[in-house]
Amino acid sequence: MAAAGGLPAESADERGRGGLWAALAGLTTRGRSFLAAGVAAAICAFVLGQEDLLRVGLLLAVLPLVCTVVLYRTRYRVAGSRRLEPGRVPAGSEARVQLRIDNVSRLHTGLLMLQDRVPYVLGPRPRFVLDRVEAGGKREVSYRVRSDLRGRYPLGPLQLRLTDPFGMCELTRAFSAYDTLTVIPRTEPLPPVRLSGEAAGYGDGRHRSLALAGEDDVIPRGYRHGDDLRRVHWRSTARYGELMVRREEQPQRARCTVLLDTRDIAYAGAGPDSAFEWAVSGAASALVHMLERGFSVRLLTDTGSSVPGEGAGGFAGTTQDSSDSAGLMMDTLAVVDHSDGGGLSRAYDVLRGGNEGLLIGFFGDLDEEQAAVAAKMRRRSGAAVAFVLDSGLWTQGGPEHDPVEERLRLLREAGWTALAVPPGAALPDLWRRAGRERTNAGAASGGAAGTAGGWS
């Protein structure tokens, strides 16, 4: 037997130590029955002195043993491979797994049973029966997997079960290769909205800034062939003795931080329809939307860990491709779980640097202390939008928490656009509502709100 990539499914040492005994353990019910009947017939023939009965007993006992030895000594070489399409799927979507078996030996195989190991959450274990595979031949089969729960699930190893023509013995060989299916949170397309004070043409989240603040702050560079002579900086040219030009306007990306509250005490209930899963899905939708709009985005949790954690301030989208950045953050959200921490202070410490741009928070239950910490985060951002989930409403039969409105009022007084999230709410509708409330707040304050950082 050969595993995927041509590696042996079992080593010579394993054959020498106990491979044959392991093969005997693979006797089927039919094989064991023949062996038992042969031994019983041989004993009866010895007691009764019946030579003919002894011959029958020996035949019955030897047949399964011969089948086992022949099956064990047959040197099939079979290569197996698996292709997973796609390797990353949203919760509730299907992925296709294609298995391929190649017979690389000079002998045709017998009847093969192909079985792939998959976690229970992905569905029943797939099994296929393959007829004899000719020398140099191949067989391809496929199956589909689906999960409503996000996570990372291993597929494999692939197992082959060999049987002899009489069905006396079965041998199982396992390949070593396996693949991983990543089930990411569901995402919803969000509508483009514009906050008050934002420049007309809300779109890609980019703005341009000069690399100079005045005539004395010019940072020139050497002249390059093709540069516009109107950009020549004569003072620097005289100073350095060579032609110098002003730097071009540099494109900059607006920043966005998506904060996900994962505290265990902030959520009640479990399952695909729980409040925590809604928050995770909402954070994923916001991340994808802001990256598509050209923002530099990072994912931050209450534990203080940020993803991707590279580049200036840990934001993605500046030097990385947006699809790669989204994939990295989606992989993180696929396995994110409740944290044991009871507060948001570590996330606040990360935001202390200021100049964080837009802040979008998905919070669970907030007590008075944590609401005050969240309120202080607004000072470190240009604009802030909070979606607050009351676990009492999300838990079936749970009472409504009276303090939730008080927490929302505290956040709004600090400058947040804070919205309560009822059970089963659609994030696109809340997104539009947040845009309208932010625009109204900016208009009421003379356009001051939202000038520090818009969102779209």
Side-chain angles (χ1 to χ4, degrees):
M1 295 289 295
L7 298 177
E10 59 179 352
S11 66
D13 291 340
E14 291 173 334
R15 285 182 176 270
R17 283 196 302 265
L20 187 56
W21 290 109
L24 290 174
L27 286 173
T28 62
T29 302
R30 180 184 298 176
R32 296 175 187 271
S33 299
F34 268 66
L35 183 60
V39 172
I43 294 175
C44 292
F46 179 77
V47 173
L48 300 176
Q50 297 291 330
E51 294 183 0
D52 293 337
L53 183 59
L54 179 61
R55 296 188 186 96
V56 173
L58 291 177
L59 176 62
L60 294 176
V62 169
L63 181 59
L65 297 178
V66 171
C67 292
T68 300
V69 173
V70 171
L71 185 63
Y72 174 75
R73 298 296 296 178
T74 302
R75 299 303 300 266
Y76 295 134
R77 289 187 57 84
V78 180
S81 62
R82 181 191 300 102
R83 186 168 68 249
L84 177 61
E85 296 178 353
R88 182 190 293 124
V89 295
S93 300
E94 289 186 343
R96 184 170 180 263
V97 184
Q98 185 168 352
L99 305 176
R100 174 172 171 171
I101 297 297
D102 293 272
N103 184 11
V104 296
S105 65
R106 297 180 180 180
L107 301 174
H108 66 267
T109 68
L111 192 65
L112 301 178
M113 177 178 287
L114 190 64
Q115 176 177 278
D116 206 8
R117 298 184 61 182
V118 300
Y120 175 77
V121 69
L122 297 182
R125 181 170 296 182
R127 293 182 176 90
F128 305 93
V129 177
L130 304 180
D131 200 357
R132 53 181 294 176
V133 182
E134 65 279 4
K138 65 179 181 180
R139 297 290 186 271
E140 291 186 355
V141 293
S142 64
Y143 65 94
R144 295 183 180 275
V145 291
R146 178 182 180 274
S147 174
D148 292 326
L149 300 176
R150 55 185 176 81
R152 292 173 63 87
Y153 302 103
L155 301 179
L158 186 63
Q159 292 181 335
L160 275 179
R161 183 176 297 175
L162 310 176
T163 61
D164 64 279
F166 298 100
M168 298 290 181
C169 182
E170 291 183 352
L171 294 182
T172 301
R173 295 291 182 260
F175 297 95
S176 58
Y178 69 94
D179 292 285
T180 301
L181 174 67
T182 302
V183 181
I184 62 176
R186 296 185 182 93
T187 58
E188 298 181 85
L190 302 180
V193 299
R194 184 178 63 185
L195 299 183
S196 60
E198 194 177 8
Y202 62 94
D204 56 4
R206 297 184 180 89
H207 63 277
R208 305 183 69 87
S209 64
L210 289 171
L212 52 95
E215 197 67 21
D216 296 332
D217 297 322
V218 172
I219 305 177
R221 62 170 175 83
Y223 175 82
R224 299 172 185 169
H225 179 71
D227 285 338
D228 191 346
L229 292 179
R230 289 175 295 181
R231 291 177 38 239
V232 173
H233 191 255
W234 298 108
R235 181 179 299 179
S236 298
T237 300
R239 179 183 302 174
Y240 293 104
E242 59 177 320
L243 204 58
M244 306 293 289
V245 297
R246 295 181 177 91
R247 292 184 183 272
E248 296 178 348
E249 294 180 344
Q250 301 296 323
Q252 295 182 352
R253 288 174 177 257
R255 289 182 168 185
C256 174
T257 298
V258 178
L259 173 61
L260 176 62
D261 179 11
T262 64
R263 295 171 299 134
D264 187 35
I265 62 175
Y267 300 93
D273 298 326
S274 64
F276 180 67
E277 292 301 323
W278 191 98
V280 174
S281 178
S285 301
L287 288 170
V288 172
H289 178 78
M290 303 311 291
L291 281 172
E292 290 176 348
R293 297 295 169 182
F295 280 72
S296 296
V297 183
R298 71 174 173 183
L299 171 66
L300 179 65
T301 65
D302 59 289
T303 62
S305 60
S306 62
V307 179
E310 299 178 358
F315 288 86
T318 52
T319 58
Q320 296 175 299
D321 184 73
S322 295
S323 59
D324 294 338
S325 304
L328 181 59
M329 289 183 280
M330 285 297 178
D331 288 346
T332 301
L333 289 176
V335 296
V336 70
D337 202 354
H338 292 291
S339 66
D340 296 331
L344 302 171
S345 57
R346 282 179 287 184
Y348 173 72
D349 292 338
V350 176
L351 297 172
R352 279 186 176 180
N355 192 26
E356 301 296 338
L358 173 65
L359 176 60
I360 304 175
F362 293 86
F363 299 101
D365 291 334
L366 296 173
D367 56 24
E368 185 175 356
E369 179 182 357
Q370 300 310 314
V373 175
K376 291 190 295 183
M377 294 179 183
R378 171 61 181 85
R379 307 171 190 171
R380 308 299 179 182
S381 62
V385 181
F387 300 95
V388 183
L389 293 89
D390 181 9
S391 63
L393 292 175
W394 282 79
T395 304
Q396 185 176 3
E400 180 177 356
H401 288 185
D402 294 334
V404 65
E405 288 299 329
E406 180 66 21
R407 306 296 181 248
L408 293 175
R409 184 187 62 81
L410 181 61
L411 294 177
R412 290 165 182 161
E413 289 177 352
W416 285 82
T417 300
L419 300 177
V421 181
L427 182 59
D429 296 337
L430 295 175
W431 195 262
R432 293 190 187 91
R433 179 182 168 190
R436 290 194 300 268
E437 292 193 8
R438 185 68 184 176
T439 301
N440 295 336
S445 59
T451 57
W455 64 306
S456 64

